[in-house]
Structure formats: structure tokens, C-alpha cells
Amino acid sequence: STTLSITYAPTTVADHSAQVNIENGEAAASIALSGRATPPDASSPDDVQFGFVPTDETATETVTISNLGNESTTLSITDVSLTGADANNFSLTSGTQAPFDLSGGESQAINIEFPVNAGPNPGSRSATLTINTTDPDAEQQQITVNVEGSIAVPDIQLNRSAVEFGD
């Protein structure tokens, strides 16, 4: 008896087939082979809500992008950016910039800070986090996440009962 090992390593996403023919002079055998190469599959993260953040503080929220494809797939993240009228009030922290690759089953955290460069002006801010991928199933190979936050000014309270003016 002899063991025959066959490796399937597709380079394109598709159904594949082949046939192995074995002959030894007295007998012959054919073995049909088939396989399906699956694409990488990017997760779709939820929108980010920072809520109210005081002007003198910074909050961090995390968006996680995952390759939901098979172990043998590679999902490339080619660009991560913040856009929109208030994009300069949010920032991507170091270590979360593209490009990077995710093998099947792997995830990467993308950290966003708020507020940044907001000044003392209270109010709502919003931006769009855009993640460009090589996922063939993603619309235009982009994933967008809405990012929202509000800058709160500190409240001031007076305690009038504690004021004394003497005689």
C-alpha cells in the first residue's frame, strides 16, 4: 500500500476540479477531485456613539474588523480614514493605521479618540470611518461606520445658602 498526499492551494476564488490517474502496469484508477476556494469576508462593525464627553477629557471607542472567511483566506485592509465636516474632532490612535492583512478568523481593533481639536465649543460632532478592503462581497470594497459624539461643557452650580455677609 502507498499513501498519496494531494495539496489544494487555490489562487483564485472559484470552484475547482481535477482528476488524478494512477497506473501500475496491471491496473489503473482515477480519482476525481473538487474544491471550492472561498473569498475573505469582512465583518460589518456597528456605528460608534461616544455620547457626551467633557471638553477637558478624551474618550476612546473601538471598532473591530474581522476576516470571517476560511483560515486560508487573506483580507487586506488597504486604507482606514475619517471623513466628514467634523472629522478633525476625531482621531485614529497609533497602531490602527492601514495597510494590514487579516488571515481567516483574525480581527484587528481600530481605536478612535474624541474629542480632538474641538476647542471649548459644545455640541454634536459626526464623521464617517471608512475601511477599504479586498473583500469581493463588500459594496465597492468599502465598509463605512458612522461616528458620533457630543462635547459637553462642565455644569456650574451655586450654593446660595453657604454665603454669609456678617453684620
Side-chain angles (χ1 to χ4, degrees):
S1 111
T2 301
T3 301
L4 174 66
S5 296
I6 300 171
T7 302
Y8 176 59
T11 57
T12 59
V13 176
D15 290 327
H16 300 96
S17 62
Q19 184 170 319
V20 175
N21 297 313
I22 303 170
E23 295 181 30
N24 73 354
E26 296 177 17
S30 292
I31 303 169
L33 305 173
S34 64
R36 173 173 285 186
T38 58
D41 186 12
S43 62
S44 295
D46 294 331
D47 291 343
V48 175
Q49 299 289 330
F50 279 92
F52 288 95
V53 179
T55 56
D56 59 344
E57 293 181 19
T58 301
T60 302
E61 291 288 338
T62 300
V63 171
T64 302
I65 183 79
S66 301
N67 181 354
L68 303 175
N70 288 338
E71 193 174 292
S72 62
T73 64
T74 299
L75 177 69
S76 294
I77 307 302
T78 57
D79 187 47
V80 178
S81 61
L82 288 163
T83 59
D86 301 320
N88 64 333
N89 292 165
F90 301 87
S91 72
L92 299 172
T93 62
S94 63
T96 59
Q97 280 77 22
F100 56 88
D101 292 331
L102 297 174
S103 296
E106 288 186 333
S107 298
Q108 172 68 43
I110 299 171
N111 296 312
I112 306 167
E113 287 185 343
F114 173 76
V116 177
N117 303 319
N121 302 324
S124 297
R125 305 290 197 277
S126 64
T128 301
L129 174 68
T130 302
I131 304 167
N132 293 326
T133 76
T134 58
D135 182 351
D137 295 331
E139 184 178 320
Q140 298 178 355
Q141 297 183 328
Q142 278 189 347
I143 299 169
T144 57
V145 178
N146 295 318
V147 181
E148 296 180 357
S150 293
I151 299 170
V153 291
D155 287 335
I156 298 174
Q157 294 180 347
L158 298 176
N159 184 347
R160 294 181 185 197
S161 63
V163 178
E164 293 183 25
F165 289 101
D167 296 337

